[in-house]
Amino acid sequence: MPPVKERADAARNRRAILDATAALLAEHGAEGVTMDRVAAAAGVGKGTIFHRFGNRAGLLHAMVAESAFTLRARVADGPPPLGPGAPAADRLRAFLDAMARLVIDNLELMTILRTEPPHPRTEELHRFWYEHLRALLEEARPDVDAEIVARLLLDSLAGATVPDLARSGQADRLTAAVRELVDSVLRTP
């Protein structure tokens, strides 16, 4: 069955809501994103937002989903080294570099999402990232515990260090350190 096409008014409302959310994030940071403020800025009723996105976590997920699902598509079907066709070690480096960039580029959203209940689509993405990373580790370093190392690598991007460094203007230093971390995992003893 083909996907249902979005009505024009629903598409306009969706875009207005996402644009209003982005503007509130840019102007006020994480604290400025409330459902009331988003509704007022978008010119829609609060019920429209709840109907469309479910809750605040669903709205925030939609904000980051576009870049996250684009990255997922590039990992699954894009050109190497991020996509298939490159050695596992090269894909691993490209993947964690892209993940670090995704987190840095969506810093305010990631900060907010950490305080919200998990959204089902977010959990789906996390499973995909973890399984992809685990598979690459199993291929590149069959001698390590890929299940645990994959979690540790992903967790390294989820803690307070990433926002602290990015907000203090050290994003380049952060991405270089992520590359060093990946290279240290890939080094065989």
Side-chain angles (χ1 to χ4, degrees), residues 107-157:
L107 197 54
E108 287 298 319
L109 287 169
M110 298 300 186
T111 300
I112 296 171
L113 286 172
R114 285 188 191 102
T115 66
E116 296 289 336
H119 188 274
R121 301 274 328 255
T122 302
E123 291 175 355
E124 170 193 333
L125 276 170
H126 284 263
R127 277 191 304 279
F128 177 82
W129 302 140
Y130 166 73
E131 289 299 328
H132 177 64
L133 189 52
R134 183 191 53 73
L136 291 175
L137 282 165
E138 285 177 349
E139 186 178 336
R141 285 291 311 275
D143 58 314
V144 302
D145 185 340
E147 289 181 24
I148 300 297
V149 174
R151 288 177 188 235
L152 290 170
L153 287 171
L154 285 176
D155 286 351
S156 72
L157 296 174

mmCIF file of all heavy atoms in Angstrom, residues 107-157:
data_model
loop_
_atom_site.group_PDB
_atom_site.id
_atom_site.type_symbol
_atom_site.label_atom_id
_atom_site.label_comp_id
_atom_site.label_asym_id
_atom_site.label_seq_id
_atom_site.Cartn_x
_atom_site.Cartn_y
_atom_site.Cartn_z
ATOM 1 N N LEU A 107 22.731 20.021 18.949
ATOM 2 C CA LEU A 107 23.077 20.040 20.366
ATOM 3 C C LEU A 107 21.908 20.406 21.278
ATOM 4 O O LEU A 107 21.636 19.710 22.265
ATOM 5 C CB LEU A 107 24.236 21.015 20.587
ATOM 6 C CG LEU A 107 24.988 20.881 21.876
ATOM 7 C CD1 LEU A 107 25.497 19.474 22.078
ATOM 8 C CD2 LEU A 107 26.142 21.857 21.885
ATOM 9 N N GLU A 108 21.209 21.484 20.977
ATOM 10 C CA GLU A 108 20.089 21.889 21.830
ATOM 11 C C GLU A 108 19.007 20.816 21.852
ATOM 12 O O GLU A 108 18.442 20.514 22.901
ATOM 13 C CB GLU A 108 19.512 23.229 21.379
ATOM 14 C CG GLU A 108 20.378 24.410 21.706
ATOM 15 C CD GLU A 108 20.597 24.599 23.205
ATOM 16 O OE1 GLU A 108 19.647 24.432 23.991
ATOM 17 O OE2 GLU A 108 21.726 24.928 23.597
ATOM 18 N N LEU A 109 18.716 20.252 20.691
ATOM 19 C CA LEU A 109 17.705 19.194 20.633
ATOM 20 C C LEU A 109 18.126 17.982 21.447
ATOM 21 O O LEU A 109 17.327 17.402 22.177
ATOM 22 C CB LEU A 109 17.459 18.778 19.180
ATOM 23 C CG LEU A 109 16.690 19.770 18.338
ATOM 24 C CD1 LEU A 109 16.742 19.369 16.878
ATOM 25 C CD2 LEU A 109 15.262 19.887 18.812
ATOM 26 N N MET A 110 19.375 17.580 21.319
ATOM 27 C CA MET A 110 19.864 16.413 22.054
ATOM 28 C C MET A 110 19.780 16.662 23.558
ATOM 29 O O MET A 110 19.426 15.764 24.320
ATOM 30 C CB MET A 110 21.299 16.084 21.660
ATOM 31 C CG MET A 110 21.479 15.719 20.216
ATOM 32 S SD MET A 110 20.523 14.271 19.778
ATOM 33 C CE MET A 110 21.093 14.002 18.123
ATOM 34 N N THR A 111 20.071 17.887 23.967
ATOM 35 C CA THR A 111 19.993 18.233 25.384
ATOM 36 C C THR A 111 18.567 18.064 25.891
ATOM 37 O O THR A 111 18.329 17.476 26.946
ATOM 38 C CB THR A 111 20.478 19.682 25.608
ATOM 39 O OG1 THR A 111 21.830 19.780 25.166
ATOM 40 C CG2 THR A 111 20.378 20.084 27.061
ATOM 41 N N ILE A 112 17.614 18.564 25.133
ATOM 42 C CA ILE A 112 16.213 18.455 25.527
ATOM 43 C C ILE A 112 15.762 16.997 25.513
ATOM 44 O O ILE A 112 15.094 16.528 26.433
ATOM 45 C CB ILE A 112 15.306 19.286 24.594
ATOM 46 C CG1 ILE A 112 15.628 20.767 24.701
ATOM 47 C CG2 ILE A 112 13.843 19.047 24.934
ATOM 48 C CD1 ILE A 112 14.930 21.605 23.658
ATOM 49 N N LEU A 113 16.112 16.270 24.466
ATOM 50 C CA LEU A 113 15.649 14.885 24.341
ATOM 51 C C LEU A 113 16.121 14.016 25.496
ATOM 52 O O LEU A 113 15.459 13.037 25.849
ATOM 53 C CB LEU A 113 16.087 14.295 22.999
ATOM 54 C CG LEU A 113 15.309 14.813 21.791
ATOM 55 C CD1 LEU A 113 15.940 14.322 20.494
ATOM 56 C CD2 LEU A 113 13.846 14.405 21.869
ATOM 57 N N ARG A 114 17.256 14.356 26.095
ATOM 58 C CA ARG A 114 17.739 13.586 27.243
ATOM 59 C C ARG A 114 16.816 13.709 28.456
ATOM 60 O O ARG A 114 16.835 12.865 29.334
ATOM 61 C CB ARG A 114 19.141 14.041 27.639
ATOM 62 C CG ARG A 114 20.199 13.560 26.706
ATOM 63 C CD ARG A 114 21.598 13.865 27.256
ATOM 64 N NE ARG A 114 22.561 13.616 26.230
ATOM 65 C CZ ARG A 114 23.152 14.568 25.494
ATOM 66 N NH1 ARG A 114 22.902 15.828 25.724
ATOM 67 N NH2 ARG A 114 24.013 14.252 24.555
ATOM 68 N N THR A 115 16.002 14.771 28.497
ATOM 69 C CA THR A 115 15.117 14.981 29.642
ATOM 70 C C THR A 115 13.690 14.509 29.376
ATOM 71 O O THR A 115 12.852 14.574 30.259
ATOM 72 C CB THR A 115 15.074 16.474 30.029
ATOM 73 O OG1 THR A 115 14.459 17.217 28.971
ATOM 74 C CG2 THR A 115 16.466 17.010 30.308
ATOM 75 N N GLU A 116 13.419 14.072 28.163
ATOM 76 C CA GLU A 116 12.076 13.634 27.784
ATOM 77 C C GLU A 116 11.993 12.110 27.801
ATOM 78 O O GLU A 116 13.006 11.428 27.628
ATOM 79 C CB GLU A 116 11.749 14.128 26.366
ATOM 80 C CG GLU A 116 11.687 15.622 26.222
ATOM 81 C CD GLU A 116 10.470 16.231 26.893
ATOM 82 O OE1 GLU A 116 9.454 15.527 27.083
ATOM 83 O OE2 GLU A 116 10.537 17.418 27.249
ATOM 84 N N PRO A 117 10.781 11.576 27.960
ATOM 85 C CA PRO A 117 10.638 10.122 27.821
ATOM 86 C C PRO A 117 11.049 9.713 26.406
ATOM 87 O O PRO A 117 10.853 10.481 25.458
ATOM 88 C CB PRO A 117 9.145 9.884 28.035
ATOM 89 C CG PRO A 117 8.587 11.148 28.585
ATOM 90 C CD PRO A 117 9.543 12.254 28.246
ATOM 91 N N PRO A 118 11.618 8.523 26.250
ATOM 92 C CA PRO A 118 12.051 8.101 24.912
ATOM 93 C C PRO A 118 10.876 8.008 23.936
ATOM 94 O O PRO A 118 9.789 7.593 24.306
ATOM 95 C CB PRO A 118 12.670 6.720 25.133
ATOM 96 C CG PRO A 118 12.632 6.454 26.585
ATOM 97 C CD PRO A 118 11.872 7.527 27.261
ATOM 98 N N HIS A 119 11.116 8.421 22.734
ATOM 99 C CA HIS A 119 10.133 8.325 21.654
ATOM 100 C C HIS A 119 10.399 7.014 20.919
ATOM 101 O O HIS A 119 11.560 6.654 20.701
ATOM 102 C CB HIS A 119 10.294 9.529 20.721
ATOM 103 C CG HIS A 119 9.227 9.636 19.693
ATOM 104 N ND1 HIS A 119 9.301 8.983 18.496
ATOM 105 C CD2 HIS A 119 8.043 10.307 19.691
ATOM 106 C CE1 HIS A 119 8.225 9.255 17.782
ATOM 107 N NE2 HIS A 119 7.450 10.057 18.487
ATOM 108 N N PRO A 120 9.343 6.284 20.512
ATOM 109 C CA PRO A 120 9.569 4.991 19.840
ATOM 110 C C PRO A 120 10.487 5.073 18.617
ATOM 111 O O PRO A 120 11.301 4.194 18.398
ATOM 112 C CB PRO A 120 8.160 4.542 19.443
ATOM 113 C CG PRO A 120 7.250 5.255 20.377
ATOM 114 C CD PRO A 120 7.931 6.553 20.717
ATOM 115 N N ARG A 121 10.379 6.134 17.837
ATOM 116 C CA ARG A 121 11.240 6.252 16.653
ATOM 117 C C ARG A 121 12.688 6.499 17.061
ATOM 118 O O ARG A 121 13.608 6.077 16.381
ATOM 119 C CB ARG A 121 10.757 7.381 15.731
ATOM 120 C CG ARG A 121 9.364 7.234 15.216
ATOM 121 C CD ARG A 121 9.106 6.424 13.968
ATOM 122 N NE ARG A 121 10.016 6.331 12.907
ATOM 123 C CZ ARG A 121 9.919 6.933 11.731
ATOM 124 N NH1 ARG A 121 8.944 7.773 11.495
ATOM 125 N NH2 ARG A 121 10.784 6.698 10.784
ATOM 126 N N THR A 122 12.892 7.196 18.192
ATOM 127 C CA THR A 122 14.250 7.410 18.695
ATOM 128 C C THR A 122 14.857 6.080 19.106
ATOM 129 O O THR A 122 16.016 5.787 18.799
ATOM 130 C CB THR A 122 14.239 8.391 19.891
ATOM 131 O OG1 THR A 122 13.644 9.613 19.468
ATOM 132 C CG2 THR A 122 15.630 8.657 20.398
ATOM 133 N N GLU A 123 14.066 5.266 19.781
ATOM 134 C CA GLU A 123 14.550 3.948 20.194
ATOM 135 C C GLU A 123 14.898 3.096 18.975
ATOM 136 O O GLU A 123 15.901 2.383 18.973
ATOM 137 C CB GLU A 123 13.507 3.260 21.073
ATOM 138 C CG GLU A 123 13.359 3.924 22.426
ATOM 139 C CD GLU A 123 12.247 3.328 23.273
ATOM 140 O OE1 GLU A 123 11.507 2.449 22.777
ATOM 141 O OE2 GLU A 123 12.130 3.745 24.434
ATOM 142 N N GLU A 124 14.090 3.203 17.928
ATOM 143 C CA GLU A 124 14.361 2.481 16.676
ATOM 144 C C GLU A 124 15.700 2.916 16.086
ATOM 145 O O GLU A 124 16.508 2.081 15.667
ATOM 146 C CB GLU A 124 13.219 2.749 15.693
ATOM 147 C CG GLU A 124 13.449 2.269 14.280
ATOM 148 C CD GLU A 124 12.429 2.846 13.299
ATOM 149 O OE1 GLU A 124 11.296 3.188 13.702
ATOM 150 O OE2 GLU A 124 12.783 2.963 12.120
ATOM 151 N N LEU A 125 15.951 4.210 16.068
ATOM 152 C CA LEU A 125 17.226 4.719 15.555
ATOM 153 C C LEU A 125 18.393 4.242 16.408
ATOM 154 O O LEU A 125 19.419 3.825 15.872
ATOM 155 C CB LEU A 125 17.231 6.247 15.512
ATOM 156 C CG LEU A 125 16.619 6.885 14.286
ATOM 157 C CD1 LEU A 125 16.467 8.376 14.492
ATOM 158 C CD2 LEU A 125 17.431 6.585 13.047
ATOM 159 N N HIS A 126 18.241 4.279 17.722
ATOM 160 C CA HIS A 126 19.320 3.838 18.609
ATOM 161 C C HIS A 126 19.651 2.364 18.369
ATOM 162 O O HIS A 126 20.822 1.984 18.350
ATOM 163 C CB HIS A 126 18.961 4.081 20.081
ATOM 164 C CG HIS A 126 19.088 5.509 20.474
ATOM 165 N ND1 HIS A 126 20.193 6.018 21.096
ATOM 166 C CD2 HIS A 126 18.250 6.561 20.299
ATOM 167 C CE1 HIS A 126 20.035 7.309 21.299
ATOM 168 N NE2 HIS A 126 18.861 7.657 20.825
ATOM 169 N N ARG A 127 18.631 1.546 18.182
ATOM 170 C CA ARG A 127 18.876 0.128 17.880
ATOM 171 C C ARG A 127 19.648 -0.017 16.571
ATOM 172 O O ARG A 127 20.570 -0.815 16.466
ATOM 173 C CB ARG A 127 17.565 -0.653 17.810
ATOM 174 C CG ARG A 127 17.043 -1.107 19.153
ATOM 175 C CD ARG A 127 15.900 -2.106 19.031
ATOM 176 N NE ARG A 127 14.776 -1.614 18.245
ATOM 177 C CZ ARG A 127 13.827 -0.811 18.702
ATOM 178 N NH1 ARG A 127 13.854 -0.399 19.948
ATOM 179 N NH2 ARG A 127 12.846 -0.416 17.914
ATOM 180 N N PHE A 128 19.243 0.775 15.569
ATOM 181 C CA PHE A 128 19.937 0.712 14.283
ATOM 182 C C PHE A 128 21.395 1.109 14.441
ATOM 183 O O PHE A 128 22.293 0.431 13.946
ATOM 184 C CB PHE A 128 19.256 1.617 13.248
ATOM 185 C CG PHE A 128 19.983 1.647 11.932
ATOM 186 C CD1 PHE A 128 19.782 0.641 10.998
ATOM 187 C CD2 PHE A 128 20.884 2.655 11.638
ATOM 188 C CE1 PHE A 128 20.463 0.655 9.783
ATOM 189 C CE2 PHE A 128 21.571 2.676 10.432
ATOM 190 C CZ PHE A 128 21.358 1.670 9.499
ATOM 191 N N TRP A 129 21.662 2.251 15.136
ATOM 192 C CA TRP A 129 23.050 2.707 15.314
ATOM 193 C C TRP A 129 23.868 1.630 16.031
ATOM 194 O O TRP A 129 24.982 1.313 15.637
ATOM 195 C CB TRP A 129 23.119 3.984 16.150
ATOM 196 C CG TRP A 129 22.369 5.194 15.668
ATOM 197 C CD1 TRP A 129 21.673 6.059 16.455
ATOM 198 C CD2 TRP A 129 22.251 5.712 14.339
ATOM 199 N NE1 TRP A 129 21.126 7.067 15.687
ATOM 200 C CE2 TRP A 129 21.467 6.874 14.391
ATOM 201 C CE3 TRP A 129 22.723 5.287 13.100
ATOM 202 C CZ2 TRP A 129 21.147 7.635 13.268
ATOM 203 C CZ3 TRP A 129 22.404 6.033 11.971
ATOM 204 C CH2 TRP A 129 21.640 7.187 12.066
ATOM 205 N N TYR A 130 23.294 1.092 17.101
ATOM 206 C CA TYR A 130 24.011 0.084 17.887
ATOM 207 C C TYR A 130 24.299 -1.161 17.045
ATOM 208 O O TYR A 130 25.437 -1.646 17.034
ATOM 209 C CB TYR A 130 23.210 -0.291 19.144
ATOM 210 C CG TYR A 130 23.737 -1.538 19.791
ATOM 211 C CD1 TYR A 130 24.938 -1.516 20.490
ATOM 212 C CD2 TYR A 130 23.070 -2.752 19.655
ATOM 213 C CE1 TYR A 130 25.455 -2.676 21.053
ATOM 214 C CE2 TYR A 130 23.577 -3.903 20.205
ATOM 215 C CZ TYR A 130 24.761 -3.867 20.902
ATOM 216 O OH TYR A 130 25.277 -5.009 21.442
ATOM 217 N N GLU A 131 23.310 -1.686 16.352
ATOM 218 C CA GLU A 131 23.517 -2.903 15.556
ATOM 219 C C GLU A 131 24.542 -2.668 14.444
ATOM 220 O O GLU A 131 25.374 -3.533 14.165
ATOM 221 C CB GLU A 131 22.194 -3.407 14.970
ATOM 222 C CG GLU A 131 21.254 -3.990 15.987
ATOM 223 C CD GLU A 131 21.833 -5.202 16.714
ATOM 224 O OE1 GLU A 131 22.628 -5.961 16.119
ATOM 225 O OE2 GLU A 131 21.494 -5.384 17.892
ATOM 226 N N HIS A 132 24.487 -1.509 13.829
ATOM 227 C CA HIS A 132 25.453 -1.180 12.776
ATOM 228 C C HIS A 132 26.871 -1.130 13.347
ATOM 229 O O HIS A 132 27.798 -1.747 12.801
ATOM 230 C CB HIS A 132 25.083 0.162 12.137
ATOM 231 C CG HIS A 132 26.048 0.620 11.099
ATOM 232 N ND1 HIS A 132 26.260 -0.059 9.926
ATOM 233 C CD2 HIS A 132 26.884 1.693 11.072
ATOM 234 C CE1 HIS A 132 27.177 0.572 9.208
ATOM 235 N NE2 HIS A 132 27.573 1.638 9.884
ATOM 236 N N LEU A 133 27.014 -0.450 14.437
ATOM 237 C CA LEU A 133 28.330 -0.315 15.071
ATOM 238 C C LEU A 133 28.846 -1.668 15.543
ATOM 239 O O LEU A 133 30.012 -2.008 15.344
ATOM 240 C CB LEU A 133 28.238 0.672 16.230
ATOM 241 C CG LEU A 133 29.526 1.108 16.897
ATOM 242 C CD1 LEU A 133 30.538 1.615 15.891
ATOM 243 C CD2 LEU A 133 29.226 2.182 17.924
ATOM 244 N N ARG A 134 27.977 -2.459 16.152
ATOM 245 C CA ARG A 134 28.371 -3.792 16.624
ATOM 246 C C ARG A 134 28.844 -4.657 15.457
ATOM 247 O O ARG A 134 29.883 -5.313 15.542
ATOM 248 C CB ARG A 134 27.200 -4.468 17.349
ATOM 249 C CG ARG A 134 27.568 -5.830 17.941
ATOM 250 C CD ARG A 134 26.352 -6.587 18.418
ATOM 251 N NE ARG A 134 25.305 -6.714 17.420
ATOM 252 C CZ ARG A 134 25.357 -7.525 16.350
ATOM 253 N NH1 ARG A 134 26.403 -8.273 16.123
ATOM 254 N NH2 ARG A 134 24.341 -7.566 15.512
ATOM 255 N N ALA A 135 28.123 -4.642 14.354
ATOM 256 C CA ALA A 135 28.497 -5.444 13.184
ATOM 257 C C ALA A 135 29.846 -4.998 12.615
ATOM 258 O O ALA A 135 30.685 -5.838 12.252
ATOM 259 C CB ALA A 135 27.408 -5.361 12.117
ATOM 260 N N LEU A 136 30.071 -3.695 12.551
ATOM 261 C CA LEU A 136 31.357 -3.201 12.051
ATOM 262 C C LEU A 136 32.500 -3.618 12.970
ATOM 263 O O LEU A 136 33.567 -4.019 12.498
ATOM 264 C CB LEU A 136 31.326 -1.674 11.910
ATOM 265 C CG LEU A 136 30.433 -1.110 10.817
ATOM 266 C CD1 LEU A 136 30.412 0.409 10.877
ATOM 267 C CD2 LEU A 136 30.854 -1.603 9.443
ATOM 268 N N LEU A 137 32.266 -3.533 14.281
ATOM 269 C CA LEU A 137 33.300 -3.957 15.233
ATOM 270 C C LEU A 137 33.588 -5.448 15.123
ATOM 271 O O LEU A 137 34.748 -5.858 15.186
ATOM 272 C CB LEU A 137 32.876 -3.609 16.659
ATOM 273 C CG LEU A 137 33.049 -2.161 17.063
ATOM 274 C CD1 LEU A 137 32.271 -1.869 18.338
ATOM 275 C CD2 LEU A 137 34.518 -1.816 17.233
ATOM 276 N N GLU A 138 32.546 -6.247 14.980
ATOM 277 C CA GLU A 138 32.752 -7.701 14.841
ATOM 278 C C GLU A 138 33.612 -8.019 13.634
ATOM 279 O O GLU A 138 34.436 -8.930 13.673
ATOM 280 C CB GLU A 138 31.412 -8.423 14.745
ATOM 281 C CG GLU A 138 30.697 -8.523 16.065
ATOM 282 C CD GLU A 138 29.326 -9.168 15.960
ATOM 283 O OE1 GLU A 138 28.807 -9.368 14.826
ATOM 284 O OE2 GLU A 138 28.743 -9.457 17.023
ATOM 285 N N GLU A 139 33.430 -7.263 12.560
ATOM 286 C CA GLU A 139 34.219 -7.493 11.354
ATOM 287 C C GLU A 139 35.634 -6.931 11.481
ATOM 288 O O GLU A 139 36.607 -7.593 11.114
ATOM 289 C CB GLU A 139 33.516 -6.866 10.149
ATOM 290 C CG GLU A 139 34.191 -7.174 8.828
ATOM 291 C CD GLU A 139 33.456 -6.595 7.636
ATOM 292 O OE1 GLU A 139 32.233 -6.345 7.723
ATOM 293 O OE2 GLU A 139 34.122 -6.385 6.602
ATOM 294 N N ALA A 140 35.746 -5.714 12.000
ATOM 295 C CA ALA A 140 37.053 -5.060 12.064
ATOM 296 C C ALA A 140 37.919 -5.585 13.191
ATOM 297 O O ALA A 140 39.147 -5.657 13.054
ATOM 298 C CB ALA A 140 36.873 -3.545 12.217
ATOM 299 N N ARG A 141 37.302 -5.939 14.312
ATOM 300 C CA ARG A 141 38.038 -6.399 15.495
ATOM 301 C C ARG A 141 37.317 -7.590 16.126
ATOM 302 O O ARG A 141 36.693 -7.461 17.172
ATOM 303 C CB ARG A 141 38.154 -5.282 16.531
ATOM 304 C CG ARG A 141 39.131 -4.180 16.259
ATOM 305 C CD ARG A 141 40.601 -4.587 16.332
ATOM 306 N NE ARG A 141 40.995 -5.330 17.511
ATOM 307 C CZ ARG A 141 41.345 -4.790 18.677
ATOM 308 N NH1 ARG A 141 41.349 -3.496 18.837
ATOM 309 N NH2 ARG A 141 41.704 -5.563 19.687
ATOM 310 N N PRO A 142 37.397 -8.764 15.501
ATOM 311 C CA PRO A 142 36.687 -9.918 16.046
ATOM 312 C C PRO A 142 37.178 -10.343 17.426
ATOM 313 O O PRO A 142 36.511 -11.117 18.107
ATOM 314 C CB PRO A 142 36.924 -11.018 15.005
ATOM 315 C CG PRO A 142 37.996 -10.540 14.120
ATOM 316 C CD PRO A 142 38.109 -9.056 14.265
ATOM 317 N N ASP A 143 38.309 -9.813 17.855
ATOM 318 C CA ASP A 143 38.877 -10.178 19.155
ATOM 319 C C ASP A 143 38.326 -9.355 20.318
ATOM 320 O O ASP A 143 38.644 -9.624 21.469
ATOM 321 C CB ASP A 143 40.401 -10.043 19.115
ATOM 322 C CG ASP A 143 40.848 -8.629 18.749
ATOM 323 O OD1 ASP A 143 40.292 -8.057 17.793
ATOM 324 O OD2 ASP A 143 41.749 -8.095 19.422
ATOM 325 N N VAL A 144 37.487 -8.338 20.055
ATOM 326 C CA VAL A 144 36.939 -7.527 21.143
ATOM 327 C C VAL A 144 35.476 -7.894 21.388
ATOM 328 O O VAL A 144 34.818 -8.495 20.536
ATOM 329 C CB VAL A 144 37.054 -6.002 20.882
ATOM 330 C CG1 VAL A 144 38.497 -5.588 20.658
ATOM 331 C CG2 VAL A 144 36.174 -5.564 19.738
ATOM 332 N N ASP A 145 34.973 -7.527 22.539
ATOM 333 C CA ASP A 145 33.568 -7.740 22.874
ATOM 334 C C ASP A 145 32.762 -6.639 22.176
ATOM 335 O O ASP A 145 32.549 -5.549 22.722
ATOM 336 C CB ASP A 145 33.383 -7.691 24.390
ATOM 337 C CG ASP A 145 31.977 -8.026 24.830
ATOM 338 O OD1 ASP A 145 31.037 -7.938 23.995
ATOM 339 O OD2 ASP A 145 31.800 -8.360 26.013
ATOM 340 N N ALA A 146 32.331 -6.925 20.959
ATOM 341 C CA ALA A 146 31.674 -5.917 20.123
ATOM 342 C C ALA A 146 30.396 -5.385 20.756
ATOM 343 O O ALA A 146 30.068 -4.204 20.592
ATOM 344 C CB ALA A 146 31.378 -6.484 18.745
ATOM 345 N N GLU A 147 29.665 -6.213 21.499
ATOM 346 C CA GLU A 147 28.427 -5.747 22.124
ATOM 347 C C GLU A 147 28.697 -4.630 23.122
ATOM 348 O O GLU A 147 28.005 -3.607 23.123
ATOM 349 C CB GLU A 147 27.717 -6.899 22.838
ATOM 350 C CG GLU A 147 27.111 -7.909 21.887
ATOM 351 C CD GLU A 147 26.397 -9.030 22.615
ATOM 352 O OE1 GLU A 147 25.964 -8.829 23.773
ATOM 353 O OE2 GLU A 147 26.271 -10.108 22.032
ATOM 354 N N ILE A 148 29.691 -4.802 23.948
ATOM 355 C CA ILE A 148 30.003 -3.797 24.973
ATOM 356 C C ILE A 148 30.732 -2.600 24.370
ATOM 357 O O ILE A 148 30.402 -1.450 24.662
ATOM 358 C CB ILE A 148 30.848 -4.414 26.110
ATOM 359 C CG1 ILE A 148 30.088 -5.566 26.773
ATOM 360 C CG2 ILE A 148 31.260 -3.354 27.125
ATOM 361 C CD1 ILE A 148 28.806 -5.162 27.446
ATOM 362 N N VAL A 149 31.700 -2.842 23.514
ATOM 363 C CA VAL A 149 32.474 -1.741 22.929
ATOM 364 C C VAL A 149 31.569 -0.848 22.085
ATOM 365 O O VAL A 149 31.699 0.386 22.119
ATOM 366 C CB VAL A 149 33.684 -2.269 22.128
ATOM 367 C CG1 VAL A 149 34.393 -1.139 21.395
ATOM 368 C CG2 VAL A 149 34.653 -3.001 23.051
ATOM 369 N N ALA A 150 30.622 -1.426 21.367
ATOM 370 C CA ALA A 150 29.676 -0.620 20.583
ATOM 371 C C ALA A 150 28.884 0.303 21.498
ATOM 372 O O ALA A 150 28.712 1.487 21.208
ATOM 373 C CB ALA A 150 28.737 -1.517 19.786
ATOM 374 N N ARG A 151 28.420 -0.223 22.615
ATOM 375 C CA ARG A 151 27.670 0.614 23.566
ATOM 376 C C ARG A 151 28.542 1.718 24.144
ATOM 377 O O ARG A 151 28.107 2.861 24.290
ATOM 378 C CB ARG A 151 27.100 -0.237 24.693
ATOM 379 C CG ARG A 151 25.954 -1.090 24.250
ATOM 380 C CD ARG A 151 25.462 -1.990 25.376
ATOM 381 N NE ARG A 151 24.507 -2.907 24.842
ATOM 382 C CZ ARG A 151 23.276 -3.057 25.305
ATOM 383 N NH1 ARG A 151 22.879 -2.325 26.326
ATOM 384 N NH2 ARG A 151 22.465 -3.912 24.761
ATOM 385 N N LEU A 152 29.774 1.377 24.476
ATOM 386 C CA LEU A 152 30.680 2.380 25.041
ATOM 387 C C LEU A 152 30.974 3.496 24.033
ATOM 388 O O LEU A 152 31.022 4.679 24.403
ATOM 389 C CB LEU A 152 31.977 1.725 25.509
ATOM 390 C CG LEU A 152 31.858 0.840 26.746
ATOM 391 C CD1 LEU A 152 33.159 0.056 26.967
ATOM 392 C CD2 LEU A 152 31.506 1.663 27.968
ATOM 393 N N LEU A 153 31.177 3.123 22.780
ATOM 394 C CA LEU A 153 31.441 4.144 21.769
ATOM 395 C C LEU A 153 30.232 5.059 21.580
ATOM 396 O O LEU A 153 30.389 6.283 21.492
ATOM 397 C CB LEU A 153 31.850 3.492 20.447
ATOM 398 C CG LEU A 153 33.253 2.891 20.423
ATOM 399 C CD1 LEU A 153 33.468 2.080 19.141
ATOM 400 C CD2 LEU A 153 34.315 3.967 20.549
ATOM 401 N N LEU A 154 29.046 4.486 21.511
ATOM 402 C CA LEU A 154 27.850 5.317 21.372
ATOM 403 C C LEU A 154 27.637 6.179 22.610
ATOM 404 O O LEU A 154 27.287 7.357 22.509
ATOM 405 C CB LEU A 154 26.618 4.454 21.108
ATOM 406 C CG LEU A 154 26.502 3.890 19.692
ATOM 407 C CD1 LEU A 154 25.300 2.969 19.584
ATOM 408 C CD2 LEU A 154 26.421 4.993 18.655
ATOM 409 N N ASP A 155 27.869 5.590 23.782
ATOM 410 C CA ASP A 155 27.713 6.355 25.022
ATOM 411 C C ASP A 155 28.679 7.520 25.106
ATOM 412 O O ASP A 155 28.383 8.534 25.746
ATOM 413 C CB ASP A 155 27.891 5.453 26.244
ATOM 414 C CG ASP A 155 26.706 4.532 26.474
ATOM 415 O OD1 ASP A 155 25.663 4.693 25.800
ATOM 416 O OD2 ASP A 155 26.831 3.625 27.333
ATOM 417 N N SER A 156 29.828 7.398 24.461
ATOM 418 C CA SER A 156 30.800 8.489 24.510
ATOM 419 C C SER A 156 30.256 9.756 23.850
ATOM 420 O O SER A 156 30.701 10.858 24.151
ATOM 421 C CB SER A 156 32.124 8.071 23.853
ATOM 422 O OG SER A 156 31.981 7.979 22.444
ATOM 423 N N LEU A 157 29.271 9.605 22.971
ATOM 424 C CA LEU A 157 28.663 10.761 22.311
ATOM 425 C C LEU A 157 27.411 11.241 23.028
ATOM 426 O O LEU A 157 26.851 12.274 22.675
ATOM 427 C CB LEU A 157 28.318 10.410 20.859
ATOM 428 C CG LEU A 157 29.502 10.082 19.966
ATOM 429 C CD1 LEU A 157 29.032 9.608 18.608
ATOM 430 C CD2 LEU A 157 30.421 11.275 19.832
#
